[in-house]
Amino acid sequence: TPVIDIEGLTKEYGRTVALRDVALRVEPGEIVVLLGLSGSGKSTLLRQVVGLEAPTSGRVRVLGEEVPSLTGRRLRALRSRVGFVFQQFELVPSLTVLENVLTGALAELRGPRLGLWAYPRRLKLVALGHLDRVGLLDRAYQRADTLSGGQQQRVAIARALMQNPEILLADEPVASLDPESSDQVMALIREIAMDAGLTVVCSLHQVDLALSWGDRIVGLRHGEVVLDTPASGLSKTQ
Ligand code: ADP
Ligand code: ADP
């Protein structure tokens, strides 16, 4: 059964149609790249998956739940099963790397105000394990804002792993990074997904990165799905 099953999804903001009759079905373990220019609807689609906004019409079923119908505790429960990585990393700059990772274990908003002392030793060990996984164990006690962009995004990935998510959503995770860091971050997302059997939906605007790192490319244009194909079916030289 698909982990994400979207049908007839339309989202309008006033007179702007951000998504028009979108269908998307994602099977467990797939690595899907949403490819499209700025404004094509990628962020809007990812926000729908975690119920950040109500759809104008259509069905959004994620991990067996009808997302638009969820509220309160059931919505939080769904979100805890879906990790989210953002273009601008969204770390707390003044906290250490380890504290930032630990905030991923908490319900939204309470996190950043807690110091290290507030977390059980068990969670600290888990967080250190995730930092090791993303290659930044040696930075655990540095302030987050002393790290490069690529390193900060790896910290954000470690933070997302704290919930043990089944799905990882990444909204333009490498748009602020140089080409080398972009490749490192995409490689890491791919490795972690394969190891953990995570399903990934990652938005990108660069065709070359999409072809290198996606299993499947879903092209969005003006809010419509205009392409849905295995990455292997597209040649990089075309
Ligand atoms: P992308 O992520 O591909 O850049 P977006 O999903 O951010 O695209 O935007 C799709 C369209 O919807 C754009 O025209 C954008 O201006 C519009 N849009 C997105 N979010 C909002 C919002 N909160 N209010 C009004 N318009 C929005
Ligand atoms: P992205 O391309 O990743 O969506 P944007 O810079 O377009 O990033 O959007 C950043 C935020 O602004 C998003 O939360 C989006 O919903 C909101 N937004 C985008 N376009 C509009 C718009 N036309 N009117 C109001 N809010 C918008």
Side-chain angles (χ1 to χ4, degrees), residues 13 16-18 36-45 47 53 171:
Y13 298 103
T16 304
V17 183
L37 300 176
S38 178
S40 59
K42 306 182 297 295
S43 300
T44 301
L45 182 52
R47 287 198 295 271
E53 295 166 345
D171 192 4

Side-chain angles (χ1 to χ4, degrees), residues 109-187:
L109 297 180
R110 276 199 303 135
R113 286 167 202 89
L114 294 180
L116 261 191
W117 52 268
Y119 296 92
R121 180 183 151 77
R122 178 186 60 82
L123 276 185
K124 287 182 215 174
L125 291 177
V126 172
L128 289 168
H130 290 319
L131 274 178
D132 194 22
R133 182 69 190 77
V134 303
L136 291 171
L137 188 54
D138 57 332
R139 305 302 171 104
Y141 295 97
Q142 264 176 249
R143 274 173 62 121
D145 58 5
T146 65
L147 270 54
S148 71
Q151 290 170 331
Q152 290 193 40
Q153 193 58 292
R154 283 148 63 196
V155 173
I157 292 167
R159 177 181 60 188
L161 294 177
M162 286 303 288
Q163 300 264 14
N164 231 334
E166 292 154 74
I167 300 175
L168 183 67
L169 304 179
D171 192 4
E172 294 265 12
V174 300
S176 325
L177 305 179
D178 61 67
E180 194 186 332
S181 308
S182 296
D183 271 322
Q184 282 174 4
V185 165
M186 291 308 300

